[in-house]
Structures are given as structure tokens and as C-alpha cells.
Amino acid sequence: MTDRWVIHLPVTAPDLLRARILARTAARVLARLSARVEPGGVTVSAEDQQGVRHWVFCDRPLPGGARCALPVDHLAPCAHRALRLPRR
């Protein structure tokens, strides 16, 4: 028997882009609440193809043991924290 359990929380979105945005937002909020949240492992899938998963975060290793916190398809160099966009 394992000492760890994984929560699977189905949430729907109209397309892959919005599913990734929602998953990133949820993971970041939950990570602030608990150190047990592993945002780098977050994936999304089509409802009828749940075996085909799409990564949400880049999660590449960074110097010092941290992981990249940017979206999987980012163009900027990997970073430990998400980039903040300027407010309008």
C-alpha cells in the first residue's frame, strides 16, 4: 500500500488553450495552499481521449534543483517563476 494518493479532479474547458490556462491557474493557487502540490505534473486531455495527455508546465530542470514554472510552449528562457505581464 502507498502512503501517497493522487487527486484527479475533472474540470471542463472549451479547448486545449483554455484548459491549459485553467489548469495552470488552479495549480498555482493550490501550490500556495500546500507544498504537496506538484504543478509540473499537471496535464490536460480531451474528455473522450483521456489517455492522450498534454503537459501544462515546461517543468525542465533548472540549476539548483528548481524546475521551470513557465507554460509548456513558452518562448522565453526557462525560469523558476512565471513571468508577470504588465498591467494595462
Side-chain angles (χ1 to χ4, degrees):
M1 188 58 92
T2 181
D3 290 336
R4 286 177 36 131
W5 292 84
V6 177
I7 298 170
H8 303 275
L9 178 65
V11 178
T12 61
D15 55 48
L16 178 57
L17 174 64
R18 285 183 265 193
R20 283 180 167 161
I21 291 169
L22 179 58
R24 274 196 306 272
T25 303
R28 288 181 179 143
V29 168
L30 291 172
R32 288 179 181 226
L33 299 175
S34 172
R36 294 185 175 268
V37 174
E38 299 175 17
V42 175
T43 59
V44 296
S45 65
E47 186 174 20
D48 58 348
Q49 293 183 327
Q50 293 184 25
V52 179
R53 302 213 172 192
H54 302 271
W55 291 102
V56 173
F57 292 98
C58 171
D59 202 39
R60 287 188 187 113
L62 297 172
R67 310 289 286 194
C68 180
L70 299 180
V72 70
D73 51 1
H74 69 87
L75 298 176
C78 287
H80 182 231
R81 293 184 167 203
L83 302 174
R84 295 201 182 252
L85 298 174
R87 290 188 171 197
R88 293 180 185 190

